[in-house]
Amino acid sequence: MPAVVRIVLRRVALLVPLLLGIVLFAFLVMRFSDADPASAFFQGANPTPRQLHDFRERNGLLDPLPVRYVHFVGDLLHGDLGTSTLTRAAVADQIVTALPLTLQLTFLGLTVALVLSLVGGVTAAVYRDRWPDQAVRAVSLVGVAAPGFWLALLMIQYLAVAKGWFPAGGYVNPADSVSGWLRTMALPALALSLPVAASLTRVVRTSVVEELDKDYVRTAYGSGLPPRVVVGRNVLRNALVNPLTVLGLRIGYLLGGAVVIETVFALPGMGKLMIDAVQNGDPAVVQGVVLTTATGFVVINLVIDLLHLLVNPRLRTA
């Protein structure tokens, strides 16, 4: 069996205990929280103790914790994330409805972050210790320190309310209007991406500077190759290994940051779904969103690991 195939199979096999651990953590956290599915089910009414007991017995809430966990895992294997105690709708259906918007926001934020970090990081490295480098480093330092929700509020105040260039909230489906979709997603994607772009810019700059100081770069310059060829074909390919490692963690930040950003801009995605579930005491929905987000984070990091095999041949021969 080729070494690359063995490495891929080993990485995939490691996902099994990791995903089981995530499922166990989500199950225990929700079971030991103050959220009571029976009380949430009768929200707005005055149920009798008998009604509460019947609801708990009917839904298996009185079973021992290990038994409930086995039933929970069995339901997950069949794609059943439970039922919302408020809307009586399947949690999986609610997630399927909300997930596309969160993926759109995450993809746009990731695209903006990658473009800004590559342009800023490479520019700062090429003009090391000169004014472009100092400017990029100062801006990236401010971006790292600025919370995403604060940037979102500033953008709403200045670009949406004062200037009227963008809507302050809401969502337009791209199937209805691509331009309207871009206008509603521009500010959320920018607010979500700027902190990630700032931190990635610093990592890209450091990696490119290290590559520019190596002997093969001086040899390439000495042979008469133009800087754009040396940097574009040789330096970037070797320098992007470390930023790629950091990128996997930053994608997790994008998924988590979408919770706050979607709430600020009133976007009906996973973040707003979870915030509403927490506020209304709907533990099944909270649990489903946490499991979906955590699973997505794990899968994305697996993809990043596999990309490492492509860009770093030393990993395939180690």
Side-chain angles (χ1 to χ4, degrees):
M1 184 182 296
V4 175
V5 177
R6 287 200 305 270
I7 294 174
V8 171
L9 292 177
R10 186 162 58 245
R11 298 288 175 85
V12 173
L14 289 174
L15 286 184
V16 177
L18 183 57
L19 290 175
L20 288 176
I22 291 173
V23 170
L24 178 61
F25 175 78
F27 175 82
L28 292 178
V29 166
M30 294 310 302
R31 294 310 174 274
F32 288 108
S33 69
D34 293 333
D36 182 14
S39 300
F41 180 82
F42 292 103
Q43 191 173 27
N46 294 315
T48 64
R50 182 64 184 178
Q51 288 176 312
L52 293 173
H53 181 273
D54 290 343
F55 177 86
R56 296 187 179 107
E57 185 177 29
R58 188 167 56 251
N59 291 274
L61 299 178
L62 300 179
D63 294 337
L65 203 60
V67 175
R68 294 165 62 187
Y69 178 69
V70 171
H71 291 163
F72 177 66
V73 174
D75 291 339
L76 286 180
L77 293 177
H78 290 87
D80 184 5
L81 292 174
T83 303
S84 170
T85 54
L86 295 178
T87 64
R88 317 298 194 266
V91 175
D93 293 340
Q94 293 180 286
I95 290 177
V96 167
T97 302
L99 184 58
L101 189 147
T102 300
L103 293 179
Q104 294 169 23
L105 179 58
T106 303
F107 175 77
L108 287 176
L110 178 62
T111 302
V112 174
L114 287 177
V115 171
L116 293 178
S117 60
L118 286 176
V119 173
V122 173
T123 300
V126 171
Y127 295 95
R128 183 184 353 175
D129 296 329
R130 284 179 275 179
W131 73 263
D133 181 25
Q134 301 295 339
V136 170
R137 292 167 67 181
V139 172
S140 64
L141 182 62
V142 174
V144 170
F149 73 90
W150 180 73
L151 293 174
L153 294 175
L154 287 182
M155 291 177 186
I156 291 175
Q157 180 65 33
Y158 183 73
L159 298 178
V161 177
K163 297 296 184 179
W165 294 343
F166 300 94
Y171 175 71
V172 175
N173 195 303
D176 299 330
S177 172
V178 176
S179 61
W181 174 74
L182 287 174
R183 291 187 74 246
T184 56
M185 297 295 286
L187 292 186
L190 194 59
L192 184 63
S193 66
L194 286 181
V196 176
S199 61
L200 277 179
T201 297
R202 300 168 69 86
V203 177
V204 171
R205 178 195 177 277
T206 302
S207 297
V208 174
V209 165
E210 291 176 354
E211 288 296 319
L212 290 175
D213 288 338
K214 292 184 177 178
D215 292 337
Y216 79 89
V217 176
R218 287 190 287 268
T219 302
Y221 280 135
S223 63
L225 290 176
R228 68 176 182 275
V229 174
V230 176
V231 175
R233 293 185 181 178
N234 301 301
V235 172
L236 274 182
R237 184 174 59 184
N238 296 322
L240 291 183
V241 174
N242 289 335
L244 192 60
T245 305
V246 178
L247 181 62
L249 300 176
R250 293 300 180 266
I251 292 177
Y253 169 84
L254 289 173
L255 288 172
V259 174
V260 178
I261 298 301
E262 288 174 0
T263 304
V264 173
F265 287 96
L267 297 175
M270 294 278 283
K272 191 172 187 303
L273 179 64
M274 184 165 130
I275 294 297
D276 291 344
V278 171
Q279 292 176 342
N280 296 324
D282 198 342
V285 175
V286 175
Q287 186 172 255
V289 173
V290 170
L291 284 175
T292 303
T293 305
T295 302
F297 177 71
V298 170
V299 172
I300 288 171
N301 275 274
L302 173 64
V303 174
I304 296 296
D305 286 343
L306 298 181
L307 288 177
H308 272 148
L309 298 177
L310 297 177
V311 301
N312 192 353
R314 289 174 295 182
L315 291 177
R316 299 195 293 268
T317 59

